[in-house]
Amino acid sequence: MNINRKIRFGIVGLGHIGKRHLEMIRCNQDTEVVACCDLLPPGDLGLYIPGISFYQDYEELLANHPEIDVMNICVPNGLHAEFTLSALDKGFHVVCEKPMALSKSEAEQMLYKSLEVSRHIFVVKQNRYSPPSLWLKEVINKKLLGEIYMVQMNCFWNRDKRYYQPNSWRGSQIEDGGTLFTQFSHFIDIMYWLFGDIKNVKGIFKDFNHSDLTDFEDSGLVSFEFVNGGIGCLNYSTAVHNKNLESSVIIIGEKGTIKVAGQYMNEVVYCDIENYKMPVLKPSNPPIDYGAYKGSAQNHHYVIANVVDKLQNNGSIATNALEGLKVVDIIEKIYQLRDLMEIKHPKPDTLQYYLNHVHIGGQKENLKS
C-alpha cells in the first residue's frame, strides 16, 4: 500500500552523517522527522530541533513512536545490523548508512528479516546519483564499450589523526571494520553496480602510517577477475599526505576507453568510444566538507527522495538490500586475504571502549557516525 501523506522518519546517530540525514529530511516537503536518538543531548550536538522528540535510549525511541515509517541508521558500522534488525522488528522500513553491515552473515540476517516483515531496506550509496556514475551505467547497459577487458579503480584519500581521534569508533576493528568498509565501500558499490561480482581475488596490504591510529591496514593493492568477464584491480590508500588525492576508474573495453576521476569520481577526464559523442553532463555536487577533511559528494537528498518515491509511488529502490549485501561480500572476500597477513595493530582500549559504550537498551551508546 502506498503512503499518501508525508513520510515519517526517525534517526538514530547524530554525528556528521546523521546531521546530514536530518537536514535532508527536513528540507524535503514530503518528509518529516518525528524522533531522534544519540548518546549526547541536542545542545552538546549543536542541534536545535523543536517539535522533534529526542532520546538517549534507542529502545525508548522504538517503543514510543509506532507512527514512524522509516528509521535512518547512522550509528557506527558495527551497530548497523543490530539497530536495523530492531527497527525492522518494530515494523519500520530502514535507511541504513554504508556499509550495510560488517559481514555477509549479518547482511543476510538483515535481508531475511526485511523479507519476513515485508519492509524495505534502503542502503545509502550516494555515489550512484552523481552524473558521471549515471552516465557510466548507461554506457555499460547499452554495451557501448563492447567486451570489457580491464577495469582499474583507484581510491587515494587522506585520513590522519584529524580523522582518527582518540576514544572514537573510527579506526576500531569492531566498530569501524576497516578502510574498505568506512572509506571506500561507495566505490566498490559503483564497481559492482557496473561490472558485477568478482572472483580469484589476490592482494597485498600494508599499514604505512596508521599503526598508532587504527586496528587495520591503510593501503592495499587488490587484483581479481569479473565473473561477467574481464580483469580488474583496486588500489587504495588513506595514507595520502594532508588531503585527498583522487578517486578514479579507468575502463578499457573492446570499443572504447573511459577515465572518470577527481576527489570522488566526479569528472569524466577521458572518453574515446567508437562512433560515439559524449553528452554534456550536469555538474556534480560538491563533496561533504568535514572541515579538516572531505567526504563523498553531497547526494543524500537523492536517497531521501528515493525513499519517498518508493513508499508513495511504488518506485524502484536505488540500492536495495541484496546489492548492499553483495558489496559487503566483496569486501569480506578481500579482507579474508588481508587477515591472513596479520598486519593489524589492535588498540589496547578498543574492546573495553566498545563494551563500556555500545549497548542498545538503557546503557551508554556511542551513536555518532
Side-chain angles (χ1 to χ4, degrees), residues 225-296:
E225 296 179 61
F226 290 104
V227 173
N228 295 330
I231 60 175
C233 64
L234 168 66
N235 309 308
Y236 69 94
S237 180
T238 53
V240 176
H241 171 67
N242 191 43
K243 61 184 179 181
N244 293 352
L245 173 61
E246 72 166 16
S247 303
S248 65
V249 61
I250 297 173
I251 308 167
I252 298 174
E254 175 188 9
K255 298 180 180 180
T257 307
I258 292 172
K259 180 177 181 179
V260 177
Q263 279 199 37
Y264 49 99
M265 278 175 52
N266 54 306
E267 304 170 16
V268 180
V269 298
Y270 188 87
C271 175
D272 180 12
I273 303 175
E274 181 180 296
N275 300 320
Y276 177 78
K277 182 178 181 180
M278 183 183 162
V280 176
L281 303 182
K282 295 179 180 179
S284 297
N285 290 326
I288 300 173
D289 190 343
Y290 297 111
Y293 56 92
K294 297 289 192 297
S296 291

Side-chain angles (χ1 to χ4, degrees), residues 103-139:
S103 70
K104 181 181 177 182
S105 62
E106 284 185 331
E108 286 174 338
Q109 292 177 48
M110 297 161 71
L111 175 58
Y112 294 153
K113 175 58 72 173
S114 72
L115 295 173
E116 178 186 333
V117 299
S118 299
R119 291 295 181 266
H120 303 298
I121 298 177
F122 302 81
V123 183
V124 176
K125 299 292 184 184
Q126 67 265 31
N127 282 18
R128 288 195 184 193
Y129 297 98
S130 72
S133 295
L134 293 170
W135 171 73
L136 280 175
K137 183 65 171 174
E138 181 181 13
V139 168

Side-chain angles (χ1 to χ4, degrees), residues 19 50 82 130 142-143 190 212 236 241 244 266 274 310 344 356:
K19 290 175 182 176
E82 189 173 5
S130 72
K142 291 182 177 180
K143 302 185 184 302
I190 293 296
D212 59 341
Y236 69 94
H241 171 67
N244 293 352
N266 54 306
E274 181 180 296
K310 177 61 181 178
K344 294 181 291 182
N356 286 346

Side-chain angles (χ1 to χ4, degrees), residues 26 30 68 75 90 93 108 116 127 149 159 172 176-177 183 186 194 198 217 243 247 252 265 276 309 312 346 356:
R26 296 172 83 179
D30 294 314
I68 286 175
V75 296
K90 291 294 184 180
H93 302 286
E108 286 174 338
E116 178 186 333
N127 282 18
Y149 295 154
R159 290 292 184 265
S172 157
D176 184 316
Q183 308 304 327
H186 311 75
L194 295 175
I198 64 174
E217 91 296 351
K243 61 184 179 181
S247 303
I252 298 174
M265 278 175 52
Y276 177 78
D309 183 50
Q312 289 189 343
N356 286 346

Side-chain angles (χ1 to χ4, degrees), residues 53-188:
S53 299
F54 190 89
Y55 298 87
Q56 291 177 269
D57 186 322
Y58 183 48
E59 292 288 359
E60 287 185 13
L61 186 157
L62 293 175
N64 291 334
H65 293 279
E67 76 276 17
I68 286 175
D69 301 303
V70 185
M71 185 64 67
N72 286 32
I73 309 298
C74 306
V75 296
N77 303 344
L79 295 173
H80 286 180
E82 189 173 5
F83 277 51
T84 294
L85 291 170
S86 295
L88 292 171
D89 268 330
K90 291 294 184 180
F92 303 147
H93 302 286
V94 169
V95 171
C96 185
E97 260 296 340
K98 57 81 185 168
M100 180 177 172
L102 292 184
S103 70
K104 181 181 177 182
S105 62
E106 284 185 331
E108 286 174 338
Q109 292 177 48
M110 297 161 71
L111 175 58
Y112 294 153
K113 175 58 72 173
S114 72
L115 295 173
E116 178 186 333
V117 299
S118 299
R119 291 295 181 266
H120 303 298
I121 298 177
F122 302 81
V123 183
V124 176
K125 299 292 184 184
Q126 67 265 31
N127 282 18
R128 288 195 184 193
Y129 297 98
S130 72
S133 295
L134 293 170
W135 171 73
L136 280 175
K137 183 65 171 174
E138 181 181 13
V139 168
I140 298 300
N141 283 352
K142 291 182 177 180
K143 302 185 184 302
L144 298 182
L145 295 176
E147 182 182 349
I148 300 298
Y149 295 154
M150 180 181 292
V151 176
Q152 180 188 77
M153 182 159 284
N154 299 311
C155 300
F156 300 134
W157 280 10
N158 163 266
R159 290 292 184 265
D160 52 28
K161 61 183 179 181
R162 294 170 294 182
Y163 179 86
Y164 292 114
Q165 298 183 358
N167 295 325
S168 167
W169 66 272
R170 296 186 182 124
S172 157
Q173 182 62 44
I174 297 173
E175 298 176 83
D176 184 316
T179 301
L180 292 181
F181 279 118
T182 302
Q183 308 304 327
F184 301 133
S185 63
H186 311 75
F187 304 106
I188 293 175

